[in-house]
Amino acid sequence: MSDALARPVGAEETAPRSNVLVVVLAFGGIVVSLMQTLVIPIVPELPTYLHASSSDTAWAVTATLLAAAVATPVMGRLGDMYGKRRMLLVGLFMLVAGSVTVALSDTLTPVIVGRALQGMASGVIPLGISIMRDELPAERLGSATAMMSASLGVGGALGLPAAAVIADNFNWHMLFWTSSALGVVAAVLVLMLVPESSVRSGGRFDLLGALGMAAGLVCLLLAISKGGDWGWGSGTTLGLFAAAVLILLLWGFFELRIEEPLVDLRSTARRQVLVTNLASVALGFGMFAMSLVIPQILQMPEATGYGLGKSLLTAGLVMAPSGLVMMATAPVSAAVSRARGPKVTLMIGALIVAAGYGINIALMDQVWHFVLVSCVIGAGIGFTYGAMPALIMGAVPASETGAANSLNTLMRSIGTSTASAVAGVILARMTTNLGPLSLPSEAGFKTVLAIGAGAALLAFAVASFIPRRGPAADHPTPTTEADTREAADAKA
């Protein structure tokens, strides 16, 4: 068949529209991911700003985590049912509303409320990936979803130095006015340039399932994130873990017995989806160790013998190139997936992340060492973030894409939350004294780096069990008119 006959009708006209769609959705993803690092420069000052204790102001971070965990899978399911673009706009509205709430606040309660609203915007990235599946031609989908998925890391990496500059030169409220302005721009661009997908599952929303999942996740993540403060052996922490296990077991039993569940656990149990999600938990753990260790070592006093005594802005600038590397790696990840399959891409990325941590254990004396490490790990993250949505979408029908991608994002979040808790315990126990101060020791940091490398290697091992090829991976079962039409076109 000649190139002229092989090229889809209207391909020349479709390409510019596809490019615009990718840019707008990726920009929205970066804006939403900025909220993760937005508050970091002012965390030590929040007790002074809000006239509250440090343990209370920590809820400004915890509230975002909990809200994101609950909202992401719910928004994914609602997107499948009622329109992915519509729910994406709802997420951006939550981001703007939360940002404005915090920007107008000087007390703790409205700040926590605003940060929770910001967390509810986390579903924007998996929804954007799902829109791409519905709207983009097959040859563009791999690189586009890789870029959209990488936007989560890009926003986080670029957000830290930007937030540090704003916090150093303006009132702290300006951080959230900036966030709200970016959210408005993203929402307007989506309204103008992103079409609503016709791929919808319809049906009735599983409210009881949503409440059960929310209760279980809140108990689990609250125990993980606050266990270090409350004591890992305390009745509160152990009670929350026990409640999480019981609630999630009952929730799973209920979800398997209703016709229109919030999460289709039978689809989730497919080998390709299940193993990818398990690998995502390990990767979420492994990826976050970099964000915990590198900024701290850079800012530690030089008198410790291993700290570099740099400012938060310098630490942010060291981390920033990793975001650019993630974005640059996205098309490479897509090319490898096309040639060898996303399973191979995921495994390569996990090995690169592990290698980055190994380099960091050996090299941690100069600023350029950390720039090198952040770039290597960023490249690995770019590979893995591009492969995971490809694996998920290759195993579920288009009518379930939003919920499936959202669940995968949640798995990564559970991994990062666990990494934060584990690293906190290690760094609190392995300390060194500097005058009256007790600081995390060099051995403590290296232990966290080694665990990060181990988590990445575990992800590599888990990913090896993903089916390389199969009917589900190549031809998702068509369950909607759009799916049927796509399958017919592919056969033709």
Side-chain angles (χ1 to χ4, degrees), residues 43-48 51-60 108 226 229:
V43 165
E45 306 300 328
L46 280 178
T48 301
H51 311 290
S53 66
S54 58
S55 60
D56 288 338
T57 56
W59 284 99
L108 180 62
K226 303 295 286 185
D229 296 331

Side-chain angles (χ1 to χ4, degrees), residues 328-419:
T329 307
V332 181
S333 168
V336 175
S337 293
R338 283 194 300 271
R340 305 289 296 177
K343 169 185 175 178
V344 173
T345 308
L346 181 60
M347 295 174 72
I348 291 173
L351 287 179
I352 295 173
V353 171
Y357 284 120
I359 293 171
N360 204 179
I361 292 173
L363 301 176
M364 49 190 306
D365 301 325
Q366 304 291 330
V367 170
W368 71 266
H369 292 169
F370 294 98
V371 175
L372 172 64
V373 167
S374 69
C375 288
V376 171
I377 295 176
I381 293 173
F383 268 80
T384 59
Y385 273 17
M388 285 185 282
L391 287 165
I392 295 296
M393 291 189 296
V396 300
S399 58
E400 298 177 14
T401 302
N405 278 325
S406 296
L407 183 63
N408 181 253
T409 300
L410 174 63
M411 293 300 103
R412 280 182 266 174
S413 297
I414 291 175
T416 58
S417 301
T418 306

Side-chain angles (χ1 to χ4, degrees), residues 228-387:
D229 296 331
W230 295 336
W232 293 105
S234 69
T236 301
T237 303
L238 295 177
L240 284 170
F241 275 125
V245 172
L246 178 61
I247 292 171
L248 291 175
L249 284 175
L250 291 173
W251 171 78
F253 182 83
F254 173 77
E255 291 292 281
L256 288 171
R257 280 157 179 77
I258 63 172
E259 291 185 3
E260 298 176 347
L262 176 73
V263 177
D264 187 345
L265 294 180
R266 290 181 177 84
S267 292
T268 304
R270 292 173 185 167
R271 184 177 170 188
Q272 181 160 320
V273 178
L274 177 62
V275 178
T276 301
N277 282 334
L278 291 175
S280 297
V281 175
L283 282 168
F285 189 106
M287 294 168 185
F288 198 62
M290 171 182 73
S291 302
L292 291 169
V293 171
I294 293 179
Q296 287 196 62
I297 295 178
L298 286 167
Q299 294 177 82
M300 282 283 169
E302 292 184 71
T304 59
Y306 55 88
L308 300 185
K310 304 300 181 181
S311 66
L312 177 62
L313 176 59
T314 299
L317 292 173
V318 168
M319 298 290 289
S322 66
L324 301 177
V325 171
M326 287 180 211
M327 190 67 76
T329 307
V332 181
S333 168
V336 175
S337 293
R338 283 194 300 271
R340 305 289 296 177
K343 169 185 175 178
V344 173
T345 308
L346 181 60
M347 295 174 72
I348 291 173
L351 287 179
I352 295 173
V353 171
Y357 284 120
I359 293 171
N360 204 179
I361 292 173
L363 301 176
M364 49 190 306
D365 301 325
Q366 304 291 330
V367 170
W368 71 266
H369 292 169
F370 294 98
V371 175
L372 172 64
V373 167
S374 69
C375 288
V376 171
I377 295 176
I381 293 173
F383 268 80
T384 59
Y385 273 17

Side-chain angles (χ1 to χ4, degrees), residues 184-218:
V184 169
V185 172
V188 170
L189 290 174
V190 169
L191 275 171
M192 294 173 58
L193 301 170
V194 176
E196 180 59 271
S197 170
S198 61
V199 181
R200 300 187 189 183
S201 62
R204 177 181 296 179
F205 181 68
D206 177 17
L207 179 60
L208 187 58
L211 293 174
M213 185 196 66
L217 288 176
V218 167

Side-chain angles (χ1 to χ4, degrees), residues 306 364 426-427 430-432 440-450:
Y306 55 88
M364 49 190 306
I426 293 172
L427 297 180
M430 302 180 70
T431 61
T432 186
S441 66
E442 182 179 14
F445 285 122
K446 288 188 174 183
T447 300
V448 174
L449 292 172

